[in-house]
Amino acid sequence: WANPQLLWLLALLPVAVAGLWWNAARRQRATELIGKSRTVDPLIAGRAKWWRLSRALLWLVGAALLIIAFAGPQYGSRTRVLRKRGIDIVIALDFSKSMLAQDVHPSRIKRAKAELERLLTDLDGDRVGLVAFAGDAMAFPMTVDYSAIRLFLRDLGPMDMTVGGTAIGKALIASKRLIESSNLGASDENNPNARSTVVLLLTDGEDHEGDPIAAAEELQSAGVQVYAVGIGSGSGEPIPSYTADGTLTGHVKDADGRLVMTALSPENENTLKEIASITGGTYVRAEEGTVGVNEIRAELAKLQASEQKARRVTVHENRFAMALLPAFLLLVLEAILPEAWIVRRRRRRRA
């Protein structure tokens, strides 16, 4: 039943029966009194009584069927998939100058952008936000306009970041705030409209400030998974130096004139693994020539399939029409059945 509480209205039918019986008894007494004066044919009065009884029965049965129809009888069921809801993905991309290193062809940052554009082509209905970070982080709102995300990725570069260094902790906190402001509490597991939320962190792992582990714990409390991708070689790679117009001028050197090397050290890699582990996500080490996004695409596909499966619901077939149609016909028949005019017609014939 869709609305089983309405079935309680059937308890009113005995009251209606009592009212009809009282009205019929009152009519009978009146008829007997009139009959004593010999102005009413007892046979005609008796037939009129049966017409009224028939109408009363039609009304009672029709009313009962009408109540049953409004209660929503259901029989049989089918599985239905609700409208695709998708997941929320925040791409936290490292734009520090160390991402200019060329141990991944053509460079860490260019390869990461290219792989992310491939990832965007696989998405459908998922909202995507972008957090660009170096020593500080800036966020772009969640959207399903993937062309806008592509435009941000193409236009931004390490030279556009005003604060140098790498602050993974700040990037994670910025990602959490972006999700909260965009979802309006959708990370609450008690919210039936909650969407699964993911942060895709791509970095060479060289964190120079903040506490990324504490930030990961905050994300875990908010129900956000972090998929971390470590980019870079373990042996070290010099960092190219460019002018403002993009002209290569050599490599970055320290105060003593020595080349500054960037590497995905075991310590930095362990930090990324711990971030992913705390939040229930996955860590991927970028292989030579890629940045590991293929593995992340497979993980996101699993999450999307799980999200879609969770939106499958069992729908019971409504059968109210089986009660509503006969109720309508009975009530119409009750309304058009003759009563008093039969008596008048028989009187005219006898006259």
Side-chain angles (χ1 to χ4, degrees):
W1 298 94
N3 304 293
Q5 66 276 8
L6 294 180
L7 292 174
W8 287 103
L9 293 176
L10 292 174
L12 298 177
L13 292 182
V15 178
V17 171
L20 291 172
W21 178 83
W22 178 84
N23 185 55
R26 185 177 60 83
R27 280 174 173 265
Q28 182 64 27
R29 287 194 300 269
T31 301
E32 290 176 354
L33 291 175
I34 297 174
K36 289 179 179 180
S37 63
R38 298 181 180 181
T39 59
V40 177
D41 188 328
L43 179 61
I44 296 176
R47 289 180 176 178
K49 178 182 70 174
W50 285 109
W51 280 111
R52 287 193 294 271
L53 178 60
S54 299
R55 293 187 61 182
L57 288 175
L58 289 174
W59 185 89
L60 287 171
V61 175
L65 290 174
L66 193 62
I67 292 172
I68 291 173
F70 281 124
Q74 297 175 329
Y75 176 75
S77 62
R78 58 187 173 87
T79 300
R80 183 166 68 92
V81 179
L82 300 183
R83 192 177 76 86
K84 186 172 181 180
R85 175 174 59 183
I87 60 177
D88 283 348
I89 304 171
V90 174
I91 299 172
L93 180 58
D94 188 349
F95 277 87
S96 63
K97 290 181 173 58
S98 60
M99 289 290 286
L100 294 170
Q102 298 174 346
D103 48 356
V104 176
H105 181 76
S107 68
R108 296 176 182 176
I109 188 66
K110 288 183 179 180
R111 174 52 58 186
K113 288 182 177 183
E115 293 292 330
L116 288 173
E117 289 208 23
R118 288 181 56 205
L119 173 66
L120 291 173
T121 61
D122 293 341
L123 302 181
D124 179 20
D126 305 298
R127 295 193 301 178
V128 179
L130 179 62
V131 171
F133 70 96
D136 203 353
M138 56 181 176
F140 299 92
M142 305 287 288
T143 181
V144 292
D145 184 0
Y146 303 141
S147 60
I149 298 294
R150 291 188 181 96
L151 184 61
F152 290 144
L153 287 173
R154 291 170 187 169
D155 289 348
L156 272 176
M159 308 306 294
D160 298 315
M161 306 304 290
T162 57
V163 181
T166 306
I168 295 176
K170 288 184 179 180
L172 294 177
I173 295 300
S175 300
K176 176 177 178 289
R177 290 173 179 168
L178 179 59
I179 291 170
E180 290 174 342
S181 63
S182 300
N183 288 357
L184 299 178
S187 59
D188 181 0
E189 62 180 4
N190 296 320
N191 184 350
N193 297 317
R195 300 162 64 103
S196 296
T197 50
V198 170
V199 172
L200 177 54
L201 174 64
L202 298 97
T203 178
D204 54 23
E206 294 186 347
D207 186 63
H208 299 129
E209 56 182 288
D211 188 350
I213 301 304
E217 290 172 348
E218 288 192 35
L219 286 171
Q220 188 274 332
S221 299
V224 180
Q225 293 176 289
V226 177
Y227 291 83
V229 178
I231 306 174
S233 64
S235 58
E237 181 77 10
I239 301 174
S241 176
Y242 296 90
T243 61
D245 61 1
T247 303
L248 177 65
T249 59
H251 294 85
V252 178
K253 298 180 180 180
D254 60 17
D256 298 326
R258 291 174 297 188
L259 288 176
V260 175
M261 306 295 288
T262 175
L264 181 59
S265 67
E267 180 183 359
N268 294 338
E269 197 167 13
N270 287 336
T271 299
L272 295 178
K273 289 179 180 179
E274 188 172 358
I275 290 172
S277 176
I278 289 173
T279 60
T282 303
Y283 170 73
V284 176
R285 170 69 183 270
E287 301 294 337
E288 184 177 353
T290 70
V291 292
V293 172
N294 286 337
E295 291 83 349
I296 298 300
R297 290 165 71 188
E299 292 295 327
L300 291 178
K302 293 178 184 177
L303 189 60
Q304 289 164 334
S306 175
E307 182 77 8
Q308 186 73 357
K309 182 179 180 181
R311 300 291 284 168
R312 293 182 180 272
V313 297
T314 299
V315 179
H316 298 287
E317 298 288 352
N318 291 315
R319 307 293 183 182
F320 64 89
M322 298 176 65
L324 185 61
L325 180 60
F328 173 76
L329 294 177
L330 289 175
L331 292 175
V332 170
L333 182 60
E334 185 275 336
I336 64 176
L337 270 183
E339 183 183 332
W341 69 272
I342 288 289
V343 178
R344 290 194 298 268
R345 188 177 66 177
R346 289 180 179 275
R347 283 180 178 175
R348 286 196 296 267
R349 284 181 179 178
R350 284 174 176 262

